[in-house]
Amino acid sequence: MAYNEFIADRIRQIFREQKADFYEKKMMGGLCFMVDNKMCCGIHFSKKKEMDLLMARIGVDATEEAMKKEGCQPMDFTGRPMKGFVFITPDGFDLDKDLEYWVQLCLDFNPFAKSSKKR
């Protein structure tokens, strides 16, 4: 199953409202939203959990506080969590204000994020 297009539309709308210059890239079994050629946030369908997860790149400094929020968990594909990234389950971004919070957190971190090296 692919990612939920309705969630993607909700994220697109937030980026447009914030006047963020973004583009989309299909990767990791989902859809990533790129800002300044850096992964900002995305949607990942977890086959294991059978649900769409919001992937948020928020940085290491914001992670501890974010983990206190409903639905937030370490981003873990391989048994080893990725630093500075979290997954949020649907109960943590169902409301528009909650999704806006997570996307804004990603946008706030984006200028400090390192872009991946081109191969």
Side-chain angles (χ1 to χ4, degrees):
M1 182 173 172
Y3 61 87
N4 183 313
E5 190 59 42
F6 177 70
I7 298 169
D9 285 339
R10 290 176 62 206
I11 295 171
R12 287 180 193 110
Q13 183 61 34
I14 294 168
F15 278 126
R16 288 183 191 115
E17 288 171 1
Q18 295 294 326
K19 297 185 179 11
D21 186 17
F22 72 98
Y23 65 93
E24 299 170 21
K25 190 173 188 178
K26 291 185 180 184
M27 59 183 353
M28 297 188 293
L31 181 68
C32 285
F33 292 88
M34 309 290 286
V35 175
D36 294 329
N37 290 318
K38 297 178 271 189
M39 188 185 308
C40 187
C41 67
I43 309 163
H44 169 72
F45 182 78
S46 171
K47 293 176 186 169
K48 191 179 199 179
K49 297 182 182 199
E50 296 185 352
M51 68 174 70
D52 285 293
L53 300 172
L54 176 67
M55 184 277 301
R57 186 178 191 185
I58 59 173
V60 175
D61 293 344
T63 301
E64 184 178 338
E65 188 65 29
M67 293 299 288
K68 297 174 186 174
K69 296 273 190 189
E70 182 176 8
C72 186
Q73 53 195 239
M75 184 171 152
D76 185 351
F77 285 111
T78 62
R80 195 170 132 217
M82 292 180 65
K83 292 180 180 175
F85 290 82
V86 293
F87 276 143
I88 301 94
T89 59
D91 54 336
F93 66 87
D94 190 43
L95 299 175
D96 286 342
K97 69 178 181 74
D98 294 329
L99 183 59
E100 289 167 6
Y101 167 82
W102 289 111
V103 172
Q104 188 60 56
L105 205 55
C106 295
L107 285 169
D108 290 346
F109 176 69
N110 189 263
F112 305 101
K114 292 183 181 179
S115 43
S116 54
K117 295 178 181 173
K118 304 281 182 199
R119 296 179 189 201

